[in-house]
């Protein structure tokens, strides 16, 4: 498969915005599992019905469901042709193991951790006022991130494909830091 990038970061780190910009710059397909789930909720599909309560509570949707969704999406022609930027997946080491298997045993070309401190992301999430951004859900997601997702950093480090990028600053400043790392590949 062509370029496979992963972007990690706390909710509210700006990774969704940056992922969209990066996908455009590098011509890869941007896959946001959060957007896929929200679309399923809006469409009222079976997946959406199952995911909604979990998402509202700030919990993680089950690994089996998520891995199934991503596996199916990654096999599509557009991604096989253009490569992918995964945003919001993997979120757990089980998902990372599954991704490596889907990719034929290797990790992604690069996993970027967009690093923004907890205090800053909390303020940003409260300010954006999304329906699922209650204080309780925000706290729960951040706690889950530390517990489940932070170990992923070690997973990627072990495969020597982790880069940490400072996510503080303007959109342009952060984008410039990200492209510098990717261009260095
Ligand atoms: P996001 O937009 O990436 O913050 O995702 C919004 C919500 O969707 C999360 O709080 C989770 O409930 C769910 N979600 C998105 N991606 C995943 C994933 N890879 N594993 C489990 N749950 C996910």
């Amino acid at each position: 498969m062509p370029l496979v990038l992963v972007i990690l970061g706390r909710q509210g780190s700006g990774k969704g915005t940056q992922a969209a910009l990066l996908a455009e710059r590098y011509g890869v397909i941007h896959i946001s599992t959060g957007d896929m789930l929200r679309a399923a909720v809006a469409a009222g599909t079976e997946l959406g019905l199952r995911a909604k309560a979990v998402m509202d509570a700030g919990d993680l949707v089950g690994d089996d469901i998520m891995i199934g969704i991503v596996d199916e999406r990654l096999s599509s022609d557009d991604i096989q042709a253009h490569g992918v930027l995964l945003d919001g997946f993997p979120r757990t080491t089980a998902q990372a193991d599954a991704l490596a298997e889907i990719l034929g045993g290797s990790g992604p070309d690069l996993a970027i951790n967009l690093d923004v401190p907890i205090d800053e992301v909390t303020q940003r999430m409260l300010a954006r006022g999304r329906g699922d951004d209650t204080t309780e859900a925000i706290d729960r997601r951040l706690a889950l991130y530390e517990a489940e997702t932070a170990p992923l950093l070690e997973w990627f480090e072990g495969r020597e494909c982790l880069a940490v990028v400072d996510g503080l600053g303007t959109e342009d400043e952060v984008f410039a830091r990200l492209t510098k790392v990717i261009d260095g590949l």
Side-chain angles (χ1 to χ4, degrees):
M1 196 193 286
L3 195 60
V4 178
L5 299 171
V6 169
I7 187 159
L8 303 159
R10 294 190 174 91
Q11 289 80 10
S13 63
K15 75 181 156 59
T17 305
Q18 294 293 341
L21 294 170
L22 290 171
E24 200 179 310
R25 162 71 63 101
Y26 295 99
V28 297
I29 312 281
H30 175 202
I31 299 295
S32 158
T33 45
D35 285 350
M36 288 171 82
L37 291 170
R38 280 184 287 275
V41 170
T45 64
E46 198 190 321
L47 166 68
L49 294 175
R50 285 163 75 182
K52 187 176 187 315
V54 177
M55 293 170 73
D56 285 347
D59 282 329
L60 290 180
V61 175
D63 283 334
D64 288 351
I65 293 177
M66 295 311 304
I67 290 165
I69 295 172
V70 171
D71 190 8
E72 189 183 332
R73 186 69 185 86
L74 289 186
S75 66
S76 64
D77 290 345
D78 58 344
I79 290 179
Q80 292 297 323
H82 299 289
V84 67
L85 171 55
L86 286 167
D87 163 10
F89 185 96
R91 279 266 223 297
T92 64
T93 49
Q95 293 178 13
D97 287 338
L99 176 64
E101 198 172 312
I102 292 167
L103 296 175
S106 63
D109 295 296
L110 188 67
I112 300 172
N113 179 29
L114 189 58
D115 192 30
V116 178
I118 288 183
D119 287 355
E120 173 71 19
V121 291
T122 305
Q123 291 311 314
R124 288 185 190 178
M125 275 193 278
L126 287 172
R128 78 185 176 182
R130 214 167 65 186
D132 59 346
D133 281 345
T134 61
T135 315
E136 292 74 22
I138 290 170
D139 286 349
R140 175 104 185 103
R141 284 194 217 113
L142 288 174
L144 260 179
Y145 184 80
E146 301 311 312
E148 303 259 17
T149 310
L152 277 180
L153 302 184
E154 281 170 44
W155 190 99
F156 289 114
E157 212 160 31
R159 281 159 185 77
E160 294 178 354
C161 60
L162 181 71
V164 180
V165 169
D166 178 5
L168 289 177
T170 67
E171 205 171 288
D172 286 350
E173 284 165 350
V174 176
F175 185 67
R177 286 181 208 132
L178 288 165
T179 53
K180 195 175 165 199
V181 171
I182 297 170
D183 289 342
L185 271 179

